[in-house]
Amino acid sequence: MKKILLAVAAFALALPLCAQAAQEFLSPTGGESYTFSVTFDEIKNYFSDRNKEPSKMAPASSANVGEGAQETKDLPPEASDADAVAEMTRIAQDGNADFQYNLGRCYDKGFKVAQDYKQALYWYQKAAEQGNDKAANNLGCMYLDGRGVEQDFEKAAYWLELSAQKNDTLAILNLGCMYEDGHIGGSQNYDKAFEYYQKADKLGCAPAAYELGHCFEVGVGTKSNAKKAFSFYKKSADAGYGPAAYETGRRYLEGDGVKKDAALARKYLEIAVKKGELKAAGLLGTM
């Protein structure tokens, strides 16, 4: 059992790292929840208290994930990844929504298991039915994209709404994208899109601030305003969102909505390159 526990702990340690890498390439028009929610403390508690109902374990915040990772960074992975996955699967089968969600993420992204969208869909739905907002968001994304299931905008909106009711910022953002694209109600609704982007932004969603920048740039649900567009792009960039860093750097370089500033242009374009925005490298090459 000790080897299994250490393997699961090491596995849980690696999950936030995988999540962080994925989040850097989040689509600017929406995205999934990339935070894995089970901490090492919760895993220890589960094994130390066999009478505890796993489904009643409280979901962890992203801050707790970081604490768990710090606490277990020196633990050796003495058992195989397959052993860890098997133990996680057993706990998920016992009804633990956090483990169900994490297992869905693993199958969704092919992390430590063969990528399998149908398995991802299965575990997301199990967790979502227990009220896990991240799972509901990701399940909605699968219906929206047609991954592992036939594309169904109505079901996508249903699950995203459930997640949004719990203030999952990415679910709110995704609903805004669906309104903008005309996937809710049969036609584009820019006013609703703008409303949802604003709500997600107020809750601290960096991609939502980016979308608001786009709204002010081209006049989606509001009047065009270059200065406001720049302010939201910069807000998103300062929160670490790659596409926004590119837009901010480009605007400093060209004087679009802001006074030209070569030093700040270079700063934000370099951030964008680090976040995977390769087109930013092209602009850097012109400086």
Side-chain angles (χ1 to χ4, degrees):
M1 177 59 72
K2 182 179 178 182
K3 288 186 177 182
I4 293 292
L5 175 56
L6 290 174
V8 177
F11 191 82
L13 166 61
L15 294 180
L17 302 179
C18 175
Q20 181 181 4
Q23 191 168 20
E24 292 180 355
F25 296 94
L26 183 66
S27 166
T29 56
E32 302 171 11
S33 296
Y34 284 101
T35 303
F36 288 85
S37 59
V38 176
T39 67
F40 179 59
D41 282 341
E42 288 179 319
I43 295 171
K44 287 197 300 184
N45 290 339
Y46 179 85
F47 283 100
S48 64
D49 186 358
R50 304 300 290 180
N51 296 320
K52 189 173 186 178
E53 289 292 333
S55 61
K56 294 182 180 179
M57 292 202 303
S61 67
S62 57
N64 286 337
V65 172
E67 292 166 7
Q70 183 178 13
E71 190 171 333
T72 63
K73 63 183 180 181
D74 295 326
L75 286 175
E78 296 185 12
S80 69
D81 290 338
D83 289 334
V85 171
E87 188 64 11
M88 288 183 70
T89 302
R90 185 187 66 75
I91 298 171
Q93 289 171 339
D94 281 346
N96 185 302
D98 282 334
F99 278 86
Q100 290 168 347
Y101 165 68
N102 284 344
L103 203 53
R105 288 290 297 140
C106 290
Y107 280 112
D108 192 359
K109 299 304 173 185
F111 181 65
K112 302 296 186 181
V113 295
Q115 191 173 50
D116 188 330
Y117 289 145
K118 291 188 181 299
Q119 281 290 315
L121 188 83
Y122 173 82
W123 289 113
Y124 282 155
Q125 182 146 351
K126 286 286 188 182
E129 288 172 349
Q130 294 196 70
N132 186 296
D133 59 300
K134 296 182 179 67
N137 173 70
N138 288 11
L139 183 59
C141 287
M142 296 197 78
Y143 277 109
L144 181 60
D145 298 336
R147 281 182 292 126
V149 69
E150 185 175 350
Q151 190 176 53
D152 189 321
F153 296 140
E154 186 174 342
K155 288 183 178 179
Y158 171 79
W159 289 110
L160 290 173
E161 285 284 4
L162 286 182
S163 182
Q165 288 172 11
K166 296 189 174 183
N167 283 337
D168 185 284
T169 58
L170 290 178
I172 297 168
L173 170 66
N174 288 329
L175 285 168
C177 293
M178 290 189 72
Y179 276 115
E180 184 175 356
D181 294 339
H183 295 324
I184 298 177
S187 61
Q188 292 172 311
N189 189 330
Y190 294 143
D191 289 340
K192 291 291 287 185
F194 186 74
E195 175 188 329
Y196 273 75
Y197 294 150
Q198 283 185 309
K199 182 176 181 180
D201 170 59
K202 289 177 181 177
L203 291 171
C205 180
Y210 174 90
E211 288 299 328
L212 286 173
H214 173 73
C215 287
F216 279 109
E217 180 181 2
V218 301
V220 172
T222 188
K223 292 182 179 180
S224 298
N225 187 315
K227 289 185 177 180
K228 285 188 176 181
F230 172 79
S231 69
F232 278 105
Y233 282 135
K234 185 175 182 299
K235 178 180 181 180
S236 180
D238 288 339
Y241 191 50
Y246 167 77
E247 290 295 340
T248 302
R250 183 184 71 77
R251 280 164 170 72
Y252 272 124
L253 183 63
E254 300 173 1
D256 185 358
V258 67
K259 185 178 179 181
K260 287 185 178 182
D261 190 316
L264 287 174
R266 180 175 295 278
K267 169 188 171 182
Y268 282 99
L269 289 173
E270 287 177 348
I271 292 172
V273 170
K274 291 178 181 179
K275 295 290 184 178
E277 296 297 311
L278 299 182
K279 57 186 176 181
L283 284 184
L284 280 171
T286 66
M287 297 180 69

